[in-house]
Amino acid sequence: MKEIVKRLEGVPGVQGALVMTLDGVVVASVPDGIDHSPTAAFLSAVLLSVEKSAEQLGLVPLQRLTLAAARGRLLLVPVGELALAVIADGTSDLGPAISEVAGMTRHLLKQSRIEVGS
Amino acid sequence: MTSSKGTTGVVGFIARSRDRLLIPRKLARWRDQPSPAALADAVQTLLRLEDVDKAWAIARQGYARYKDDELVREMWRIAGRAHAEQGVALAQDEVRERPSANAFLKLARFSVLLRDVEAALRALEECLRRFPTSAAAHAALAELLEQRWLRDLAAADGRAVLSHLRKAWRLDGVEATRPLRLAAFLARVGAVREALAVTEEVLHLHEAHDDARTLRDSLSRIVASGVEAGSIDPDLEEDVESLLRQIEESGRVVGDPGDAARVARESDRMRSFLPALRERTGCEQTLVLEPKGDALDDGGALGVCPFTSLAANLARSAQITVRRLDLGPLRSVAMETTGGSLLLQRAQRCMVGALLDDSAAVDEGRAALEQLVAGRLPASPLAAARGGAGRPEGAR
């Protein structure tokens, strides 16, 4: 998983990225040396706090959450039972890079499920 | 092409010659028989002749005399803009050829007149990079940042305002207005005892300063009543940083009496655009979220429902998330799902939201919200009067 997340490290505009479980545990993150646990825990709390109202409004399943601020953006993309969060600048097009990493994560999850099943 | 250009040149030359011949008569007409028409004629001719200073002087005379006349106001705006554009060009030349703090200040001042605040900020930042001891530049930068802070309530801007005002005070201790602005800003964010200390210090140097005395008396009363009511602990030091962060997080300035009115104005303005937003995006549910969490639409207050709960929760969580990640003030939130999307856009101190059924319409929705915030969607009269009895009670 770390290798997959590392793919985002070199993408122009990306300042950091992490893959987390939906209950806020960091699975892999870049750059190294930064404690991403508080961010993951907080994002998990955010998802929980909006879950009920979103369901009542039929706003499910989540495809992407984007928070845009003056000095950058946070993008959160659910990938199976995990979520990929990317912190980036406000302008770079991250669509292709995020799709690639999300796709690879999904593939890895599927493989691990098959291995566990067999 | 060449012949057309040549013709224009000749026509322009003839027109300018005519203007030059006629301008003394037009100025005499404005002087002897002043009227809005005479003013417009003189100002337009002077602008064609590129005599911007004179056009601006005459336009100001006209504005003083016929302030309510639409034509005169338009001439005043046009001449004012031309004057500011000329000022920017001259200041840019001065900055290039004879750079000085004063030249940068002029550039910033004229940029503000043209409403180009970003250019003014850039000019002042460059000024301080080259002339770090310019007290006037620190004070001017603090003033612009304070305006931005009032709009966004970003803690970083608040910190910068305090830092620049303190530097301006240190660099020029004779000028009393800067520490008084520092005191007023501290009081506004809730650090009243620190504000009082600054005011006392000003009064040591300027004993008879009326504004300082008035501010000292008013702050003393606030501190005394706060201590009496138990809201101020005299033994605890005020944590300005924490106050700024609280303001950024809550999206409102608790102790500022003008804050509620400011938010109400912003909210009313945004709500007037909601019918146009619905028409443009095809969505049925839109709202304006006020900093305290109240949700309203063009019909009045909205009760608690999944839409208002989701919007309020998301806005608050997003605000805290971007602050924790040090990404600056929140601009927008987009929650995209297979079943539709919720978009929120920061509009001054409020947030405007739209619930889109069609998940493919996100880009269009985002563009419409940005236009709404910029005031480029048609406004409609509000269905409900704001406040008190005008607001519908409870949920609708």
Side-chain angles (χ1 to χ4, degrees), chain B residues 218-236:
Chain B
S218 150
L219 289 169
S220 301
R221 277 196 298 274
I222 295 171
V223 171
S225 63
V227 170
E228 200 181 312
S231 58
I232 293 177
D233 182 348
D235 300 326
L236 265 182

Side-chain angles (χ1 to χ4, degrees), chain A residues 15 39 42-43 46 49-50 53-54 56-74 87, chain B residues 306-307 309-310 313-314 317-318 320-321 324-341 355:
Chain A
Q15 292 154 12
T39 309
F42 188 72
L43 287 175
V46 171
S49 74
V50 300
S53 334
Q56 285 173 328
L57 286 167
L59 292 182
V60 279
L62 179 67
Q63 289 177 316
R64 179 150 73 163
L65 179 66
T66 311
L67 313 184
R71 291 195 294 274
R73 283 175 291 171
L74 171 87
I87 300 155
Chain B
F307 176 44
S309 300
L310 178 62
N313 260 333
L314 202 54
S317 305
I320 300 170
T321 309
R324 288 191 178 184
L325 292 170
D326 198 24
L327 295 177
L330 181 70
R331 295 271 185 256
S332 66
V333 181
M335 182 181 178
E336 299 167 57
T337 75
T338 315
S341 301
L355 184 63

Side-chain angles (χ1 to χ4, degrees), chain B residues 384-395:
Chain B
R386 195 197 155 84
R391 282 191 182 203
E393 285 171 23

Side-chain angles (χ1 to χ4, degrees), chain A residues 28-112:
Chain A
S29 65
V30 286
D32 294 327
I34 294 178
D35 181 14
H36 291 97
S37 311
T39 309
F42 188 72
L43 287 175
S44 160
V46 171
L47 291 175
L48 271 177
S49 74
V50 300
E51 192 180 24
K52 196 176 160 200
S53 334
E55 266 177 23
Q56 285 173 328
L57 286 167
L59 292 182
V60 279
L62 179 67
Q63 289 177 316
R64 179 150 73 163
L65 179 66
T66 311
L67 313 184
R71 291 195 294 274
R73 283 175 291 171
L74 171 87
L75 296 108
L76 185 80
V77 183
V79 188
E81 300 103 58
L82 302 178
L84 168 67
V86 181
I87 300 155
D89 67 13
T91 49
S92 308
D93 179 14
L94 304 173
I98 288 180
S99 297
E100 185 193 339
V101 170
M104 289 169 78
T105 310
R106 238 176 247 123
H107 183 69
L108 191 73
L109 281 173
K110 218 175 185 176
Q111 262 190 343
S112 62

